[in-house]
Amino acid sequence: MEFKISTDKKFDKLKADCLIIPYFSQPKQWPGQLPDATAAALDALAKAGDLGDKTGACSWLHNPEGLGMRRVLLVGAGRQEQWGERNCHRLLSAIAANLLQSPAKTACLILPEAVPGRAEGWMGQQLAQTLVARTYHYDHTLTKKAT
């Protein structure tokens, strides 16, 4: 499994199968660099009640206008005032579960605000560890090896 880190904030120029956008429950705000058409589609999902308020609640937006990506995974980060390691781990677990069940081969994650008391890169490291742990299959002593 390969992981890449980019600080490019021009989402219309990023190429991936999936853009992952964590959001806090109140108020739902989107990254300012998103194309207007994409932000409008996300607002419509929120207004329709399709975005849950709990940490780990997930919704998909397919073929968003203005982005070079086939889908957007929206993941609830819970309430902003409760943001910490516990909610971060729930968020990352939901991201991993949904991403690994999707047909996406590449993904870009917009990191939410840093976890209090943790370094800026900690969340990316935790996501990488979560993805590796969820895809690991023990086969050392098995007759038929996993492929």
Side-chain angles (χ1 to χ4, degrees):
M1 191 172 290
E2 184 176 331
F3 300 95
K4 294 181 182 179
I5 297 174
S6 173
T7 57
D8 190 355
K9 295 186 179 190
K10 296 177 181 156
F11 301 120
D12 56 339
K13 295 185 181 182
L14 291 174
K15 299 295 179 209
D17 294 331
C18 179
L19 176 64
I20 304 165
I21 304 176
Y23 64 89
F24 291 106
S25 59
Q26 296 298 328
K28 290 178 178 63
Q29 295 178 336
W30 317 118
Q33 302 87 349
L34 283 177
D36 291 339
T38 304
L42 298 180
D43 286 337
L45 278 174
K47 190 173 186 177
D50 291 333
L51 300 180
D53 288 337
K54 293 188 178 184
T55 304
C58 294
S59 295
W60 289 93
L61 174 64
H62 295 277
N63 301 313
E65 287 187 49
L67 289 177
M69 301 179 201
R70 294 183 181 176
R71 59 192 60 83
V72 173
L73 174 60
L74 299 151
V75 187
R79 295 171 52 168
Q80 193 163 10
E81 61 271 9
Q82 294 177 338
W83 181 242
E85 282 187 40
R86 184 178 189 191
N87 279 356
C88 181
H89 282 292
R90 287 179 181 166
L91 172 89
L92 297 177
S93 182
I95 289 171
N98 280 273
L99 193 57
L100 293 172
Q101 290 178 0
S102 79
K105 301 290 183 214
T106 58
C108 294
L109 167 64
I110 299 172
L111 293 175
E113 67 182 56
V115 175
R118 291 294 184 171
E120 194 172 307
W122 178 83
M123 198 178 318
Q125 179 185 24
Q126 294 300 307
L127 179 59
Q129 289 176 351
T130 301
L131 287 167
V132 168
R134 284 186 172 257
T135 58
Y136 175 76
H137 299 285
Y138 177 81
D139 68 355
H140 184 69
T141 58
L142 299 177
T143 306
K144 290 184 178 182
K145 303 289 184 193
T147 56

